[in-house]
Amino acid sequence: MAQTEKKGGLLRKSSASKKPLKEKVVLMYDEIFTTEDPSKCNPRFWEELFLMKVNLEYLEGKLEALDGEELMKIKDNVNCLFQHCIQALGEEHPIRVVNALQTLCALIRGVHQKNKSTSGFDIINMLVGFDKAELCMKNLMESLDSLLCAEGSESLKSLCLKLLLCLVTVTDNISQNTILEYVMINSIFEAILQILSSPLSRREHGYDAVVLLALLVNYRKYESVNPYIVKLSIVDDEPTLNGMGLVIAQALSEYNRQYKDKEEEHQSGFFSALTNMVGSMFIADADEKISVQTNEAILLALYEAVHLNRNFITVLAQSHPEMGLMTTPTSPVPTTPVTPLGTTPPSSDVISSAELPLDADVQTSNLLITFLKYSSIVMQDTKDEHRLHSGKLCLIILTCIAEDQYANAFLHDDNMNFRVNLHRMPMRHRKKAADKNLPCRPLVCAVLDLMVEFIVTHMMKEFPMDLYVRCIQIVHKLLCYQKKCRVRLHYTWRELWSGTLGTTGLNTLINLLKFLMSNETVLLAKHNIFTLALMVVNLFNMFITYGDTFLPTPSSYDELYYEIIRMHQNFDNLYSMVLRLSTNAGQWKEPASKVTHALVNIRAIINHFNPKIESYAAVNHISQLSEDQVLEVVRSNYDTLTLKLQDGLDQYERYSEQHKEAAFFKELVRSISINVRKNLAFNTLSQELLLKEFSTIS
């Protein structure tokens, strides 16, 4: 009984002799939930209501307790409350404004909650009334816009953004939220940009502003012209774009920091001592337990910025101090609560540290490096649905970057060298690379390292085919740029082709082909593995045909041939498999025959050099040739090798969201919307703090 009374807004427990005493605001809410006009007996009813401390729990609970028919009976009073809330937003007294904003949050959430189980009324009609909807919503959006752009209270701005996030996320599928039509017509886009361009506002509200923008961009994006998409695509104001980049970088940095802290805690704990005793056979399983919630909301914001706005590409390379190497701030940095999908923003102290002037002794970083580190963590474990979605979105973002001419220019710029410490999955047969040994290289090397790392570590039963295809596509697009611009990148290409025993102890692309062949029956039941096999074979064809235009040295080209010859058994086995399936009349006939045709030059290399190597060994009475001896045979027999010219190797289909990724983004935005709604905490805006801030009410 006592609990019910608390929810009812009671000041004290009931007794047998006395009725419980209710808060005045609760009594006033009760009057609204009758069919009578509450201002009939009290002309100052609405004026008094907004001076009362809002009881969100009671108001929402009261709305949820009504059925659809009961709610329709009090529709006029609900409309009246909504309209008076909007009027109160224009008041001079901040307390009235705060109470009006909180009341609107409760109203919107309560009525929408009721609509989930009852479809007997229209949301807009229930909240505002059809006849007044256009004018009321216009006034509401104008008031919110004014409050966000004013130089007034930061608390008010925070509550305005929370109201807008509430408005956007009340439905799981934001495109079914008809009230957002008014947010499209009465745009707050400029207000969001103003928040992002101002250092003070950005520190306080940047996270909410960026998430709000990402969600608004996704409202009916495939069905109609979304003004937020149009406006975001043409923003060219540098402070604004840099501000957006800083907010995203800080959120991703915070994730990276949390992961690193957990990793260090894990390694120094009891389990670490135990694994030292029993050996390292359980390391991979143990480290899977290191889990920090992923942040799809901020990742979506990064995607929309990269995908829609070409000017944002420049922000990716803007330098800022490396977060992990910053001097500890004098005030303690509060711990960010971990919430699903990272919907809690990083602390303002962390955000401000990125805007300090660069120190010559501090390793600098940028948004792209922070994002690559984030990706290397998220992509380690794709078994969890959220991480799988995050991994896919990371690869989609990298796909957009790999297609952009300007992005490629700074990725391959030899004057922009960084040490990028990617997280690598713990594996028994390789040692963890020491951070200090990392070379300074162009950023494209880190992208390639990330792709190699994924290829090496995800050959498993639950094969993430889609992610593998995206990885190979990214590598291909980068090679196309290098071929086109004749960029000779100093990268250990051997690691991509077949692995370097000294570093990974594994084969990469060739081992991937071997994995596909070894698991042919299981994989073919779920995937068309020939699509992936063809892409891998064509990467080799790209190196064979155009390698002389972008490989760093002639010896690199020799090494390519050496690796193909050394691992020839894998290509022979692949040819046998695709030949078998291409001569049958089954469903794989056509895709398998494409791989058969693509192998023509690789087979020509193997068939040309192998007899010559065997002959060299026989003549010189050597049972096993060294690498140098094989390379000598290769170099002396290039002139007699005949290869076929293959068309289209340096061309690719550009990324298209609407035609191929629409279903993925709809599901992703739904997931983000649910979690933003779940984590919206209006009570975090302490009423006591507000009262202190607005202590003078005239």
Side-chain angles (χ1 to χ4, degrees):
M1 180 65 189
Q3 189 176 2
T4 308
E5 290 166 356
K6 184 182 176 186
K7 189 167 184 177
L10 306 187
L11 292 178
R12 64 180 181 182
K13 291 184 180 180
S14 62
S15 64
S17 58
K18 292 183 180 180
K19 286 187 177 182
L21 184 64
K22 291 187 176 182
E23 298 173 65
K24 184 172 181 181
V25 73
V26 168
L27 293 169
M28 296 182 84
Y29 289 154
D30 287 342
E31 288 186 59
I32 294 169
F33 282 83
T34 65
T35 53
E36 296 292 321
D37 178 359
S39 63
K40 187 182 286 185
C41 298
N42 179 9
R44 292 176 57 82
F45 178 87
W46 300 111
E47 190 178 337
E48 290 174 9
L49 178 67
F50 294 111
L51 287 175
M52 302 284 148
K53 180 180 176 180
V54 177
N55 189 325
L56 282 166
E57 189 180 12
Y58 183 82
L59 187 53
E60 280 192 51
K62 193 84 172 171
L63 285 163
E64 287 175 29
L66 301 175
D67 61 32
E69 195 175 321
E70 289 171 327
L71 198 56
M72 281 305 294
K73 286 179 182 176
I74 61 161
K75 172 187 162 305
D76 289 346
N77 282 357
V78 172
N79 287 176
C80 209
L81 174 58
F82 197 89
Q83 288 160 27
H84 278 91
C85 282
I86 295 169
Q87 287 175 21
L89 295 181
E91 294 271 358
E92 289 182 10
H93 306 314
I95 286 294
R96 291 184 190 275
V97 178
V98 168
N99 289 332
L101 287 168
Q102 291 188 322
T103 304
L104 282 168
C105 290
L107 258 182
I108 292 164
R109 293 210 304 189
V111 171
H112 267 281
Q113 186 70 27
K114 180 50 51 194
N115 194 42
K116 285 184 179 178
S117 56
T118 311
S119 55
F121 60 86
D122 184 278
I123 289 292
I124 295 171
N125 189 36
M126 189 65 236
L127 281 174
V128 201
F130 285 134
D131 54 335
K132 301 185 183 73
E134 199 168 322
L135 180 60
C136 275
M137 290 306 298
K138 180 175 181 287
N139 291 338
L140 171 61
M141 295 308 297
E142 285 179 354
S143 294
L144 292 175
D145 186 77
S146 297
L147 290 167
L148 288 172
C149 293
E151 292 188 8
S153 162
E154 296 302 322
S155 300
L156 276 181
K157 290 182 184 180
S158 177
L159 195 48
C160 284
L161 286 167
K162 291 202 184 316
L163 171 58
L164 286 162
L165 283 169
C166 170
L167 197 66
V168 173
T169 62
V170 280
T171 56
D172 293 354
N173 181 350
I174 64 171
S175 293
Q176 291 176 352
N177 185 355
T178 50
I179 208 163
L180 285 188
E181 283 297 325
Y182 299 102
V183 185
M184 296 293 121
I185 296 165
N186 305 286
S187 175
I188 48 153
F189 183 80
E190 284 71 21
I192 294 173
L193 293 198
Q194 186 171 315
I195 288 169
L196 295 175
S197 62
S198 160
L200 174 62
S201 291
R202 179 166 66 244
R203 283 197 291 271
E204 296 289 334
H205 319 296
Y207 187 92
D208 282 349
V210 162
V211 172
L212 176 63
L213 180 58
L215 289 169
L216 288 172
V217 161
N218 280 275
Y219 174 72
R220 295 187 178 173
K221 69 190 314 188
Y222 309 118
E223 301 151 37
S224 58
V225 177
N226 180 321
Y228 290 84
I229 291 178
V230 176
K231 290 181 178 183
L232 179 57
S233 66
I234 58 174
V235 174
D236 59 0
D237 180 62
E238 198 173 327
T240 303
L241 293 173
N242 287 342
M244 187 185 298
L246 271 170
V247 171
I248 294 168
Q250 292 310 317
L252 297 180
S253 290
E254 179 69 3
Y255 175 92
N256 295 348
R257 184 191 63 76
Q258 286 183 16
Y259 182 87
K260 189 175 180 183
D261 289 348
K262 283 205 171 187
E263 188 179 42
E264 288 172 357
E265 180 186 321
H266 179 85
Q267 288 169 353
S268 62
F270 171 77
F271 198 89
S272 178
L274 184 64
T275 52
N276 285 337
M277 286 189 285
V278 300
S280 59
M281 61 183 293
F282 300 114
I283 284 180
D285 293 334
D287 275 74
E288 282 179 9
K289 296 175 184 176
I290 300 174
S291 179
V292 179
Q293 292 290 354
T294 51
N295 195 331
E296 277 90 341
I298 210 73
L299 210 56
L300 178 67
L302 175 59
Y303 164 75
E304 296 297 357
V306 168
H307 179 232
L308 294 175
N309 191 303
R310 290 212 61 213
N311 299 314
F312 188 80
I313 293 293
T314 61
V315 175
L316 294 173
Q318 291 284 339
S319 293
H320 60 75
E322 178 66 81
M323 289 301 302
L325 298 172
M326 287 302 301
T327 312
T328 307
T330 49
S331 58
V333 176
T335 306
T336 303
V338 177
T339 54
L341 302 182
T343 46
T344 302
S347 67
S348 57
D349 287 339
V350 175
I351 288 180
S352 62
S353 66
E355 297 174 33
L356 295 173
L358 289 178
D359 184 335
D361 298 323
V362 174
Q363 161 76 24
T364 57
S365 184
N366 55 42
L367 174 54
L368 182 60
I369 292 173
T370 304
F371 167 65
L372 289 172
K373 288 181 180 179
Y374 176 91
S375 301
S376 70
I377 297 169
V378 168
M379 286 162 58
Q380 285 183 21
D381 178 16
T382 56
K383 292 172 189 172
D384 171 78
E385 186 185 7
H386 289 311
R387 283 174 174 267
L388 182 66
H389 284 168
S390 268
K392 181 173 178 175
L393 189 48
C394 287
L395 289 171
I396 290 175
I397 292 167
L398 282 171
T399 299
C400 295
I401 291 169
E403 287 183 5
D404 187 271
Q405 188 78 3
Y406 180 79
N408 268 301
F410 72 71
L411 280 175
H412 291 85
D413 190 342
D414 215 18
N415 297 312
M416 287 178 63
N417 294 325
F418 293 89
R419 287 189 181 90
V420 183
N421 183 24
L422 299 176
H423 289 262
R424 302 176 73 189
M425 193 181 289
M427 300 179 83
R428 292 192 299 275
H429 37 264
R430 70 174 180 188
K431 293 180 180 178
K432 186 175 180 181
D435 299 353
K436 293 176 183 176
N437 297 335
L438 291 170
C440 260
R441 301 176 299 170
L443 285 170
V444 69
C445 296
V447 178
L448 290 166
D449 283 350
L450 182 63
M451 298 302 100
V452 168
E453 176 67 13
F454 183 86
I455 293 166
V456 163
T457 55
H458 288 77
M459 297 178 209
M460 55 194 181
K461 190 177 176 182
E462 293 298 319
F463 188 67
M465 176 76 171
D466 178 54
L467 301 192
Y468 266 94
V469 168
R470 292 173 195 277
C471 273
I472 302 299
Q473 285 175 336
I474 289 165
V475 174
H476 179 237
K477 287 170 183 180
L478 294 173
L479 289 179
C480 288
Y481 174 83
Q482 290 167 27
K483 180 257 175 184
K484 178 185 173 185
C485 299
R486 295 183 173 266
V487 176
R488 296 191 183 277
L489 183 69
H490 289 274
Y491 183 73
T492 314
W493 289 112
R494 230 174 178 174
E495 198 166 318
L496 175 69
W497 300 329
S498 61
T500 307
L501 292 173
T503 54
T504 65
L506 294 166
N507 301 326
T508 307
L509 290 179
I510 293 175
N511 207 51
L512 175 55
L513 292 175
K514 187 178 177 182
F515 175 83
L516 296 178
M517 289 183 284
S518 303
N519 298 275
E520 175 193 344
T521 308
V522 176
L523 292 174
L524 277 177
K526 298 178 181 178
H527 312 289
N528 176 3
I529 60 173
F530 302 107
T531 302
L532 183 58
L534 179 64
M535 293 170 69
V536 172
V537 169
N538 277 337
L539 274 189
F540 279 100
N541 285 329
M542 184 90 177
F543 281 101
I544 292 165
T545 309
Y546 301 118
D548 60 328
T549 65
F550 61 82
L551 285 172
T553 60
S555 63
S556 303
Y557 200 71
D558 301 337
E559 286 170 3
L560 168 68
Y561 277 66
Y562 173 79
E563 292 300 331
I564 290 171
I565 295 161
R566 183 173 74 90
M567 307 293 284
H568 73 90
Q569 193 62 55
N570 292 292
F571 291 110
D572 293 342
N573 293 343
L574 177 63
Y575 182 74
S576 299
M577 183 181 90
V578 293
L579 188 64
R580 167 171 48 87
L581 288 163
S582 63
T583 51
N584 295 337
Q587 69 177 111
W588 305 117
K589 180 181 173 74
E590 188 181 341
S593 62
K594 287 181 180 177
V595 182
T596 310
H597 296 312
L599 282 165
V600 61
N601 282 342
I602 292 173
R603 284 179 51 75
I605 290 167
I606 294 166
N607 293 334
H608 176 74
F609 287 105
N610 264 355
K612 290 180 168 42
I613 290 167
E614 289 167 10
S615 173
Y616 180 92
V619 168
N620 293 280
H621 307 290
I622 304 169
S623 59
Q624 192 169 352
L625 299 182
S626 68
E627 181 176 335
D628 287 339
Q629 288 168 328
V630 173
L631 287 171
E632 184 185 330
V633 175
V634 169
R635 291 187 192 104
S636 58
N637 287 281
Y638 274 133
D639 53 346
T640 53
L641 173 66
T642 304
L643 298 175
K644 289 187 178 179
L645 185 63
Q646 293 176 307
D647 295 327
L649 291 174
D650 58 342
Q651 294 168 8
Y652 56 82
E653 184 182 352
R654 290 190 68 83
Y655 169 76
S656 170
E657 179 189 322
Q658 185 163 352
H659 301 297
K660 294 192 174 180
E661 311 295 348
F664 167 71
F665 278 101
K666 282 178 182 176
E667 189 55 40
L668 181 74
V669 173
R670 174 189 288 269
S671 176
I672 292 168
S673 177
I674 290 168
N675 281 278
V676 169
R677 180 173 71 238
K678 192 188 298 180
N679 291 286
L680 266 178
F682 303 109
N683 57 344
T684 55
L685 199 64
S686 166
Q687 195 84 12
E688 286 71 27
L689 288 174
L690 284 166
L691 287 169
K692 189 175 179 182
E693 185 177 346
F694 307 132
S695 56
T696 53
I697 300 180
S698 53

